[in-house]
Each structure stands twice: as C-alpha cells, then as structure tokens.
Amino acid sequence: VQVPDYPGLNVYNNSVCGALRYAVILAFDVKVERESQEMADSLGVRIFSAEIIYHLFDAFTKYREDYKKAKQEEFKNIAVFPAKVKVLPQFIFNSRDPIVMGVTIEAGVLRQGTPLCVPAKGFVDIGIVTSIEMNHKSVESAKKGQEVCIKIEPIPGEAPKMFGRHFEATDMLVTKVRNIENYRRHRELQEHRELQETQRTTGT
C-alpha cells in the first residue's frame, strides 16, 4: 500500500489527487474533509476511514478481495487469440505494477484483456494487457509488424511481476490462449474473409 502523506494529516484535495493512480485512500484516525470526500466520489477514489487500525485493515482487505473477484469475472469470458510479442528495451516506461513498455507484435494479434506469459521462464504469467496505444492513441488491438505501447497489470489474486526480475528484454512474450471455441470461430471467419479477398483480387 502506497503512503503518500505523513501520519496525522487530515485528508484534503491534494491527498485525493495523489491517490488517483491507486484509487484508494486509507485514513486512520484523521478527519476527511467534506469537499475532499465529494471530490473522491466524483473521481472514483475510495476512502476508508476508521479510528481503529484493525477495522481499517479489515475493510481494505475485503475491498481488495472483492476487487480481485470482480476483475476475474470481467476477464473470464474474453477470448484470447495467439500473439507473440517482442520487448523494445529502449521503451521501458515502468517496470512494475503496472508494467508499461513498447513492444513489437512479431506474430498474431494482441488485444486488450490478453494475459501474457514468458515461455523461457517456465511460462510464468506476467499479467494482463489492459491498454494498447499506437501513436499516442488508444487502440483495442495490434497486428503483426506494428509497434505499440502496452500496459500490463497484475493478474487478479497474483503478486505483481517485474521487468528485469521475472523477464528480460531478450525474452519473447506470448499470449495464453483460452476459450478455444471462440478462437476457432474467429479463425474460420478470418480465413473466409481472406478467401473472399483473394477471389475479388483474382476475379475467380
């Protein structure tokens, strides 16, 4: 848990702004200003306040577990398609929680919501791709040959992985395919479109 303020200070607007990345403030035995609470509500920052430290800990622990379950539910039905990703070592913007880095798509299609692993490190899971940017614009997917910036967040319920510790720039990253039936339907549709394009081009 990040602690941006010194103990004993009340929760003011600057405390809320500093918590935007983590979206949680733990306020132990301090006053939460009404204006700050309203700002937190509008920005989606959750404030936990208690005069007993154990109550604060229990409330935050429950929130964290509920958040993990919600994320697992969010991603469970997403079809994951094969992709192979090469790290661009000159574009490592953040090495841990979240990992933010530039990559090249070596094969396949990389989509938001895709879990990535490292075959060379025993297929260790490094996290889920939660955003993809190309030329400073958010995109839902990236295809072979494209260079993009991706954000990788920890898999719910697992400890965050770190670039430089759990994988290196020389390690190839690959997606973990699940929901295989959706993948088959996707491939059949893609092959059908490719056939139609070939027929239009050749006039057959």
Side-chain angles (χ1 to χ4, degrees):
V1 178
Q2 298 289 327
V3 183
D5 288 323
Y6 296 104
L9 297 180
N10 292 342
V11 177
Y12 297 102
N13 289 359
N14 62 333
S15 304
V16 176
C17 293
L20 283 177
R21 179 180 173 188
Y22 304 100
V24 171
I25 292 176
L26 303 182
F28 169 55
D29 198 23
V30 294
K31 180 182 179 182
V32 179
E33 300 295 329
R34 183 174 61 83
E35 182 182 353
S36 301
Q37 182 65 65
E38 292 173 353
M39 175 187 282
D41 293 340
S42 67
L43 295 174
V45 175
R46 183 73 177 270
I47 298 179
F48 294 91
S49 179
E51 296 180 357
I52 301 175
I53 190 66
Y54 300 109
H55 293 174
L56 190 64
F57 175 79
D58 291 342
F60 175 70
T61 300
K62 184 180 185 304
Y63 168 82
R64 186 175 59 182
E65 292 304 315
D66 290 344
Y67 176 82
K68 290 176 182 178
K69 290 178 182 178
K71 282 296 182 181
Q72 289 171 341
E73 187 69 20
E74 177 183 347
F75 289 116
K76 75 174 185 179
N77 291 320
I78 294 178
V80 175
F81 306 108
K84 186 164 64 173
V85 178
K86 180 181 179 181
V87 177
L88 298 175
Q90 69 273 33
F91 296 118
I92 306 298
F93 302 107
N94 201 56
S95 60
R96 183 181 185 273
D97 197 14
I99 299 169
V100 181
M101 62 185 180
V103 300
T104 298
I105 311 304
E106 293 285 296
V109 178
L110 182 67
R111 300 174 184 272
Q112 290 188 31
T114 297
L116 292 176
C117 66
V118 188
K121 298 292 191 294
F123 290 91
V124 61
D125 296 320
I126 62 169
I128 296 173
V129 177
T130 56
S131 74
I132 304 173
E133 285 192 3
M134 184 183 304
N135 297 325
H136 304 290
K137 294 182 180 179
S138 178
V139 296
E140 293 186 0
S141 63
K143 299 182 292 186
K144 179 181 178 180
Q146 294 181 326
E147 293 187 357
V148 294
C149 180
I150 63 174
K151 179 168 71 172
I152 305 172
E153 297 189 27
I155 293 175
E158 295 191 8
K161 301 303 188 297
M162 181 177 180
F163 172 79
R165 178 181 298 174
H166 298 97
F167 69 102
E168 308 289 340
T170 53
D171 293 322
M172 195 67 68
L173 311 181
V174 301
T175 58
K176 298 192 73 173
V177 178
R178 60 174 183 262
N179 207 337
I180 193 65
E181 189 57 38
N182 282 354
Y183 169 64
R184 286 172 180 161
R185 287 199 294 267
H186 169 78
R187 284 299 304 162
E188 290 171 359
L189 180 60
Q190 187 177 50
E191 289 169 0
H192 179 65
R193 288 173 178 169
E194 290 173 353
L195 177 60
Q196 287 181 323
E197 182 63 28
T198 300
Q199 289 174 336
R200 282 196 296 269
T201 302
T202 62
T204 56

